[in-house]
């Protein structure tokens, strides 16, 4: 996995600190520097408390962690390292032996990550001081504080009984490697929440007939396995049946012509690093309210569908009006996803299907973001490094997604996946996509402008997922020279 370049900054100590140590501004020459009273000494590394760490919001929307420490008299500087320790036996250093001429530093902050920070005081050799023998070590976690769900608890009952009031983002955590049941609706309502497992050892959730996750204020689902063989709901994630009036577009300050009749979930809904098998429904489905999503992400997942013609005109990302078990139209709906990210997934369907869509809105005109957000607002949909197999074989990839969308589609494999051109009609950024058809069809019309044909590809879409095995026991590594698709098959 690629990581961003780290921001490393040494921040000069305050004037009082200069009086006490060798942390000095460049404006003083050697004769002007204040001499520390600490000489001929072996130094100790600075003591760092949890209160010495803080989160910095960067102008580009990312976050950093600032680490500050007290001056060590007689030090000429500090050596800093930062390691990601999700696997403690194999730390991944994102900062290694960086020399800091100052008393603080920053590094990039990623969500759901454990860090260790090491700071060593370096002795000023002119004062005959030697380096500290050991660094100060401080742990840092970017995980949201979680409520643990005991093994054996039915998930919907536990969440509905223990859901905190809306406020700060919270989380429910499942025990590593444990098995749980989701037999009802886990309703997160207005609480911005996470449902997460363990990165190294996913918990497994067996979804019952009526099981699903429901939200109207943002939900992050991470590091979990879902067995959906018994599930009959129309979506694994559902949007609230009754919208809170504070979430109406006009109540949120937006000025589009339809702002008074549509509702918005501003906080992200994410499904990340999950394995989902035997799904006969959408990943997400709307309700009888007119919902739009500001930010939806489907990333780093393996998902197996069994969706034949009986699935009808529903979709994997389904923002039509829906009941618990079916779509019901809602043709005046303004529903849309403003910013969509689908990347690094393998999504395969075992059946022939010429009726369903991957993504569907209810109304092509009203789904234009300018109709709700206001003039000038547009959408960006990113599809990057995915392997799509039979999603779907004979219907348009998307429906009622027409105007106001910039489509970024790069390095995807579309295997027996039909009519991308019926979805991506707006501004397009296309690069290195690959198409292959095995059901007798040929590339449809302007789909040829979305990528090249590689008829040599051959995938076994009847593979069975097994959560006990690496990559859920499936393998979709291309048998040709293409480098498109889900990156996991090239590792």
């Amino acid at each position: 996995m690629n990581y961003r370049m780290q921001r490393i900054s040494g921040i000069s100590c305050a004037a009082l600190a200069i009086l006490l140590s060798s942390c000095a501004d460049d404006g003083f020459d050697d004769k002007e520097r204040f001499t520390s009273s600490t000489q001929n000494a072996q130094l100790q590394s600075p003591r760092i408390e949890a209160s010495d760490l803080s989160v910095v919001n960067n102008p580009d929307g990312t976050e950093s962690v600032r680490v500050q420490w007290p001056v060590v008299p007689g030090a000429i500087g500090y050596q800093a390292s930062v390691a990601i320790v999700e696997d403690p036996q194999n730390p991944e250093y994102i900062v290694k032996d960086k020399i800091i001429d100052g008393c603080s530093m920053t590094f990039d902050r990623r969500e759901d990550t454990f860090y260790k920070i090491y700071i060593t005081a370096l002795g000023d050799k002119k004062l005959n001081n030697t380096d500290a023998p050991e660094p100060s070590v401080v742990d840092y976690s970017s995980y949201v504080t979680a409520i643990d769900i005991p093994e054996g608890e039915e998930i919907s009952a536990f969440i509905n009984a223990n859901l905190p009031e809306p406020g700060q983002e919270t989380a429910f955590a499942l025990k590593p490697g444990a098995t749980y049941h989701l037999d009802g609706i886990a309703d997160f309502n207005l609480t911005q929440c996470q449902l997460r497992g363990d990165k190294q050892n996913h918990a497994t959730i067996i979804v019952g007939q009526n099981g699903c996750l429901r939200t109207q204020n943002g939900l992050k689902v991470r590091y979990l396995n879902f067995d959906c063989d018994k599930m009959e709901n129309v979506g694994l994630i559902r949007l609230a049946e009754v919208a809170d009036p504070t979430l109406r577009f006009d109540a949120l300050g937006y000025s589009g012509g339809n702002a008074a009749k549509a509702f918005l979930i501003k906080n992200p809904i994410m499904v990340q690093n999950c394995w989902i098998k035997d799904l006969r429904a959408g990943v997400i489905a709307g309700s009888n309210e007119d919902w739009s999503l500001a930010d939806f992400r489907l990333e780093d997942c393996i998902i197996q569908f069994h969706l034949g013609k009986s699935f009808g005109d529903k979709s994997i990302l389904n923002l039509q009006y829906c009941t618990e078990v079916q779509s019901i139209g809602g043709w005046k709906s303004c529903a849309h996803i403003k910013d969509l990210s689908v990347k690094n997934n393998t999504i395969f369907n075992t059946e022939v299907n010429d009726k369903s869509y991957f993504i569907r809105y209810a109304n092509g005109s009203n789904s234009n973001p300018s109709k709700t957000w206001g003039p000038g607002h547009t959408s960006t949909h990113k599809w990057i490094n995915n392997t799509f197999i039979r999603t779907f074989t004979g219907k348009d990839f998307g429906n009622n997604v027409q105007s106001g969308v910039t489509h970024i589609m790069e390095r995807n494999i579309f295997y027996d996946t039909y009519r991308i051109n019926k979805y991506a009609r707006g501004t397009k950024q296309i690069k290195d996509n690959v198409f292959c058809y095995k059901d007798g069809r040929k590339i449809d019309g302007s789909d040829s402008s979305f990528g090249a044909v590689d008829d040599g590809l051959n995938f076994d879409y009847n593979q069975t997922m097994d959560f006990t095995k690496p990559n859920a026991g499936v393998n979709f590594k291309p048998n040709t020279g293409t480098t498109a698709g889900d990156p996991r098959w090239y590792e």
Side-chain angles (χ1 to χ4, degrees):
M1 184 176 291
N2 293 326
Y3 297 96
R4 296 189 300 270
M5 293 291 291
Q6 305 302 313
R7 299 179 183 82
I8 310 298
S9 63
I11 301 177
S12 297
C13 299
L16 178 60
I18 299 174
L19 295 172
L20 299 175
S21 76
S22 60
C23 292
D25 290 329
D26 291 339
F28 291 93
D29 62 25
D30 287 342
K31 293 181 181 180
E32 294 173 311
R33 291 180 185 270
F34 293 94
T35 302
S36 172
S37 61
T38 301
Q39 302 181 32
N40 305 310
Q42 183 177 70
L43 305 184
Q44 296 298 313
S45 293
R47 182 172 179 175
I48 303 175
E49 307 287 352
S51 58
D52 296 321
L53 280 68
S54 58
V55 177
V56 178
N57 294 312
N58 300 311
D60 63 358
T62 61
E63 293 180 332
S64 298
V65 178
R66 174 178 288 130
V67 188
Q68 302 179 85
W69 54 86
V71 171
V72 175
I76 191 66
Y78 304 87
Q79 180 175 282
S81 296
V82 180
I84 294 173
V85 289
E86 295 296 315
D87 179 359
Q89 302 304 314
N90 296 288
E92 177 188 349
Y93 284 90
I94 58 173
V95 179
K96 183 67 171 175
D97 298 336
K98 178 74 176 182
I99 304 303
I100 305 295
D101 182 18
C103 299
S104 70
M105 64 172 292
T106 64
F107 61 89
D108 281 349
R109 181 183 188 271
R110 295 169 49 202
E111 284 191 296
D112 293 354
T113 304
F114 291 117
Y115 300 89
K116 279 191 180 293
I117 304 162
Y118 305 84
I119 304 294
T120 303
L122 303 177
D124 188 339
K125 301 302 185 287
K126 293 181 179 180
L127 301 178
N128 200 32
N129 293 331
T130 57
D131 300 347
E134 299 290 340
S136 291
V137 182
V138 60
D139 294 321
Y140 178 76
S141 170
S142 61
Y143 283 87
V144 171
T145 302
I147 299 168
D148 292 327
I149 302 180
E151 187 174 6
E153 292 280 348
E154 194 278 316
I155 289 175
S156 65
F158 185 90
I159 288 174
N160 295 342
N162 295 278
L163 185 70
E165 291 296 318
Q168 290 188 331
E169 184 178 19
T170 189
F172 288 92
L174 278 60
K175 183 178 178 181
T179 298
Y180 293 80
H181 288 263
L182 175 64
D183 295 324
I185 299 173
D187 193 347
F188 298 94
N189 198 13
L190 288 169
T191 301
Q192 185 185 1
C193 211
Q194 298 182 12
L195 180 66
R196 70 173 189 241
D198 181 81
K199 282 184 180 180
Q200 307 300 322
N201 189 9
H202 291 190
T204 294
I205 299 175
I206 299 173
V207 185
Q209 178 178 344
N210 300 314
C212 74
L213 309 172
R214 190 160 68 190
T215 182
Q216 59 176 318
N217 196 27
L219 176 65
K220 299 172 184 176
V221 182
R222 292 171 168 161
Y223 325 123
L224 294 169
N225 301 331
F226 290 89
D227 182 342
C228 300
D229 186 52
K230 305 298 184 183
M231 174 183 154
E232 294 184 7
N233 213 308
V234 73
L236 181 59
I237 296 175
R238 297 297 312 280
L239 306 182
E241 297 294 329
V242 179
D244 190 280
T246 63
L247 302 181
R248 209 170 58 198
F249 272 91
D250 61 343
L252 294 170
Y254 297 106
S255 60
N258 292 328
K261 69 175 187 176
F263 297 90
L264 173 66
I265 298 177
K266 291 188 70 174
N267 291 315
I269 297 179
M270 306 179 184
V271 182
Q272 297 174 311
N273 290 279
C274 290
W275 297 346
I276 304 172
K277 72 174 184 177
D278 298 329
L279 186 58
R280 295 175 177 85
V283 172
I284 186 168
S287 70
N288 58 356
E289 293 280 24
D290 195 349
W291 283 113
S292 292
L293 309 180
D295 183 350
F296 181 82
R297 307 178 206 178
L298 180 63
E299 299 174 342
D300 300 295
C301 295
I302 301 175
I303 306 177
Q304 176 197 50
F305 289 98
H306 303 304
L307 295 177
K309 295 181 180 180
S310 62
F311 189 54
D313 62 357
K314 295 185 285 296
S315 58
I316 293 172
L317 307 182
N318 185 9
L319 289 190
Q320 275 194 299
Y321 280 18
C322 297
T323 66
E324 291 299 313
V325 295
Q326 65 180 350
S327 300
I328 58 174
W331 305 116
K332 294 182 180 180
S333 171
C334 304
H336 64 276
I337 301 171
K338 191 173 191 296
D339 291 314
L340 171 68
S341 174
V342 182
K343 70 177 183 180
N344 299 344
N345 303 290
T346 292
I347 302 175
F348 67 106
N349 184 28
T350 61
E351 300 189 35
V352 171
N353 185 322
D354 60 4
K355 290 183 177 295
S356 304
Y357 308 89
F358 196 105
I359 177 171
R360 191 176 195 193
Y361 298 164
N363 184 287
S365 175
N366 287 340
S367 67
N368 188 319
S370 65
K371 295 288 186 72
T372 43
W373 297 75
H377 283 275
T378 60
S379 291
T380 300
H381 289 188
K382 298 179 181 179
W383 307 76
I384 298 175
N385 281 112
N386 301 286
T387 299
F388 297 118
I389 299 171
R390 289 184 146 194
T391 56
F392 290 95
T393 56
K395 195 64 173 177
D396 304 343
F397 190 75
N399 179 253
N400 290 323
V401 184
Q402 295 182 11
S403 57
V405 182
T406 296
H407 302 276
I408 300 172
M409 309 184 84
E410 299 181 355
R411 298 180 299 280
N412 301 288
I413 292 176
F414 297 100
Y415 186 94
D416 279 350
T417 298
Y418 203 49
R419 286 182 175 169
I420 311 305
N421 65 85
K422 298 296 184 181
Y423 155 73
R425 297 182 177 184
T427 302
K428 294 180 282 291
Q429 179 178 315
I430 308 299
K431 183 179 179 181
D432 298 333
N433 300 299
V434 172
F435 290 79
C436 180
Y437 295 94
K438 295 295 185 181
D439 68 345
R441 290 186 173 88
K442 296 182 179 180
I443 194 166
D444 178 73
S446 60
D447 269 5
S448 58
S449 66
F450 286 81
V453 174
D454 185 350
D455 284 332
L457 282 172
N458 191 25
F459 291 131
D460 178 9
Y461 42 75
N462 289 312
Q463 296 180 66
T464 300
M465 291 181 68
D466 183 344
F467 294 152
T468 68
K469 297 180 179 180
N471 289 325
V474 297
N475 184 357
F476 289 98
K477 183 175 181 178
N479 60 307
T480 66
T482 182
T483 57
D486 187 343
R488 82 184 73 226
W489 308 122
Y490 301 99
E491 294 175 354

